[in-house]
Amino acid sequence: MNEDLIRQAEEYYNMGMKFVQVMLYSDAIECFNKSAELFPTFECYQNRGGAYRSLGNYDEAISDYNQALTLDPNNVDALDELNTLKSCLEPFEHYFNISTEELEKQNFEKALDYTNKMLEVCPGASHKSVLYNYRGLIHAILEHKELAIKDFWQAIDSYIGNVDNYICLVMACLMENEEKTPPPFSVVCYILAALIVKKQGGDVYAELDLSMRKFAPWVGMPEVMCSALYSMIIDTALKPLDNILIGADINELILSNYQRLQEIRNNQSYIEHSGSRKLDL
């Protein structure tokens, strides 16, 4: 085997592992793909399987775990990951179907119970993020405001790449605040959401507007307030976005803004609403 090919494969693998550490799973998979093409290894297949699992691509994850086991049939870690994933899928789908039915009937307490059950068996980080967001929205409907906000934070902690999490968090915090001013971290959330849409090749203006109007009724936000908030997002995040992107790496921007969001959260400054721009209704 050509030593240069092995070295290049290791470089792609190491780059992929760095992306995994910061929840950029699609980028990690691209690196693992290149590594496997050059020099397939147990570690590459196992970790690519983990990245697929995190994104909710369970068939691909199972395939990669099996590929890893062909190279190391007795590896306990890979066997455990494969068996755990397989054992989660059937109950996860079962609870999902029941929760959806109860939500359609507006039996929110029952929908909440089955969402909790889904979270217990959910095998993928991105799906877990969606479920925390979903549970947060149910809490918002039930007027459990603090629990809703807690779930939106957990959704963000679970996966960096879900645009809806950032929008729902800002809207829920705004509705909790009597003065109806967005929290100080709101601009960071807007920028993160816009960067993620941009990275995925979507229309930033259209997708953020769609996300807001989709979830506003869940958190009890009137249409006029939703429109005012969207105007603020345009002014504070979307218009400056092109200038922010000039000469910058979009992944680095996502990570730096994500880190900034967590710093604000850890400082608990998001509790203080003073200095925030009030919505012009």
Side-chain angles (χ1 to χ4, degrees), residues 7 13 23 37 89 107 135 169 171 196 232 237 266 276:
R7 179 181 54 77
Y13 172 78
M23 297 187 283
E37 288 173 5
L89 293 180
N107 293 334
R135 190 174 72 177
L169 175 63
M171 290 196 298
I196 291 165
M232 183 182 292
N266 291 336
S276 295

Side-chain angles (χ1 to χ4, degrees), residues 4-163:
D4 286 339
L5 291 181
I6 295 175
R7 179 181 54 77
Q8 290 176 37
E10 289 178 349
E11 289 176 355
Y12 282 124
Y13 172 78
N14 292 333
M15 192 182 304
M17 291 304 296
K18 289 180 179 178
F19 282 128
V20 167
Q21 291 170 3
V22 293
M23 297 187 283
L24 295 173
Y25 301 114
S26 295
D27 298 272
I29 289 168
E30 289 182 11
C31 291
F32 292 144
N33 288 344
K34 292 176 182 177
S35 179
E37 288 173 5
L38 294 168
F39 184 60
T41 63
F42 166 85
E43 291 80 9
C44 185
Y45 284 128
Q46 183 188 29
N47 285 292
R48 189 175 69 179
Y52 276 127
R53 172 177 174 165
S54 294
L55 287 175
N57 299 337
Y58 301 128
D59 289 342
E60 290 87 345
I62 289 170
S63 175
D64 269 354
Y65 289 144
N66 283 324
Q67 285 273 48
L69 287 166
T70 62
L71 298 177
D72 188 356
N74 298 317
N75 189 283
V76 175
D77 289 339
L79 282 168
D80 284 346
E81 288 179 26
L82 178 60
N83 291 332
T84 299
L85 176 55
K86 287 181 175 179
S87 68
C88 288
L89 293 180
E90 186 174 342
F92 178 78
E93 184 176 351
H94 173 68
Y95 295 143
F96 173 80
N97 290 335
I98 297 176
S99 178
T100 302
E101 290 174 4
E102 296 299 341
L103 190 64
E104 288 175 353
K105 298 174 186 175
Q106 297 190 0
N107 293 334
F108 300 118
E109 293 286 359
K110 287 187 178 180
L112 188 61
D113 288 341
Y114 281 99
T115 303
N116 290 335
K117 293 179 185 293
M118 278 193 287
L119 278 164
E120 290 174 5
V121 298
C122 182
S126 65
H127 278 172
K128 187 165 286 188
S129 173
V130 170
L131 287 175
Y132 277 126
N133 186 282
Y134 178 63
R135 190 174 72 177
L137 291 167
I138 296 175
H139 278 309
I141 287 175
L142 294 171
E143 297 187 358
H144 305 158
K145 294 180 180 179
E146 291 184 4
L147 291 175
I149 291 171
K150 182 179 178 181
D151 272 344
F152 295 140
W153 277 118
Q154 286 187 286
I156 290 170
D157 290 340
S158 298
Y159 180 51
I160 197 172
N162 189 339
V163 170

Side-chain angles (χ1 to χ4, degrees), residues 133 148-149 152-153 156 163-177 180-193 212 219 221 225 229-230 232-233 236 261 270 273 279:
N133 186 282
I149 291 171
F152 295 140
W153 277 118
I156 290 170
V163 170
D164 295 336
N165 295 339
Y166 304 104
I167 300 300
C168 288
L169 175 63
V170 171
M171 290 196 298
C173 289
L174 186 149
M175 294 307 295
E176 186 190 32
N177 172 24
K180 296 295 179 281
T181 54
F185 60 76
S186 57
V187 174
V188 183
C189 285
Y190 307 151
I191 291 173
L192 269 167
M212 290 187 61
V219 300
M221 179 176 288
M225 186 178 293
L229 181 60
Y230 182 60
M232 183 182 292
I233 292 175
T236 58
L261 179 64
Y270 66 90
H273 296 278
L279 289 187

